[in-house]
């Protein structure tokens, strides 16, 4: 193989650090699916979800609440998901918000689009997690700060 063709095949690939970070973030999100529902938050850390969320006819879902965290070394996010109305064993991710872990209470709002009929007006189960991509051994590792699972009333929104 010539050095020119070797260089062109390498230039089309993403730099190694970016791929590692992307892979670690995907792994962290996959772990969110197995977070126990009653995971205890560290002292002084919490996350809440408002009792009412919103869904449009086009499938745009909006959720909100508050969080409090501290002691983070890496980037921190508030992720949320809802149970699919048509496939109850399926959860639909509803955006993610970058969090500030300074010990103060902050408001979070996540918005995402789901397939038509996946979230409808009425009561549905919502999960919210505050997690950090903590630097350990050169790779980001998920560290959970707080989690909440509760039923939320999804109100129709125009």
């Amino acid at each position: 193989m010539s050095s020119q063709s070797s260089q062109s095949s390498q230039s089309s690939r993403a730099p190694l650090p970016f791929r590692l970070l992307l892979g670690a973030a995907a792994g962290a999100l996959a772990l969110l699916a197995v977070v126990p529902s009653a995971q205890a938050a560290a002292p002084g850390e919490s996350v809440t979800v408002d009792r009412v969320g919103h869904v449009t006819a086009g499938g745009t879902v909006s959720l909100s609440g508050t969080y409090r965290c501290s002691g983070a070394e890496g980037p921190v996010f508030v992720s949320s998901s809802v149970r699919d109305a048509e496939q109850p064993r399926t959860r639909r991710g509803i955006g993610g918000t970058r969090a500030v872990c300074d010990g103060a209470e902050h408001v979070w709002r996540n918005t995402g689009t789901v397939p038509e009929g996946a979230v409808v007006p009425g009561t549905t189960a919502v999960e919210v997690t505050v997690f950090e991509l903590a630097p350990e051994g050169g790779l980001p590792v998920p560290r959970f700060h707080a989690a909440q699972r509760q039923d939320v009333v999804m109100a129709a929104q125009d």
Side-chain angles (χ1 to χ4, degrees):
M1 176 184 248
S2 73
S3 64
Q4 189 175 26
S5 64
S6 175
Q7 287 174 351
S8 66
S9 68
Q10 289 179 358
S11 65
S12 66
R13 295 175 18 195
L16 184 59
F18 175 75
R19 288 185 293 162
L20 288 174
L21 181 59
L22 186 60
L29 291 175
L31 285 175
L32 291 177
V34 297
V35 173
S37 63
Q39 179 171 341
E45 297 191 325
S46 63
V47 64
T48 68
V49 60
D50 294 339
R51 294 175 191 229
V52 177
H54 297 91
V55 59
T56 67
T60 299
V61 176
S62 298
L63 299 168
S64 58
T66 62
Y67 71 91
R68 179 187 312 263
C69 59
S70 60
E73 298 173 21
V76 180
F77 301 90
V78 179
S79 68
S80 57
S81 66
V82 297
R83 183 177 54 219
D84 188 305
E86 296 178 331
Q87 303 172 25
R89 291 185 176 190
T90 301
R91 302 202 64 76
R92 299 289 180 173
I94 307 300
T97 301
R98 184 80 186 257
V100 177
C101 285
D102 59 4
E105 185 173 86
H106 299 276
V107 172
W108 64 269
R109 285 185 180 80
N110 289 348
T111 301
T113 303
V114 299
E116 188 175 334
V119 178
V120 296
T123 302
T124 191
V126 171
E127 289 184 11
V128 182
T129 305
V130 179
F131 75 98
E132 170 184 5
L133 292 177
E136 289 187 22
L139 292 175
V141 175
R143 181 181 300 152
F144 298 96
H145 287 262
Q148 175 72 22
R149 179 184 288 178
Q150 73 180 53
D151 285 343
V152 169
V153 174
M154 299 304 297
Q157 185 176 19
D158 295 328

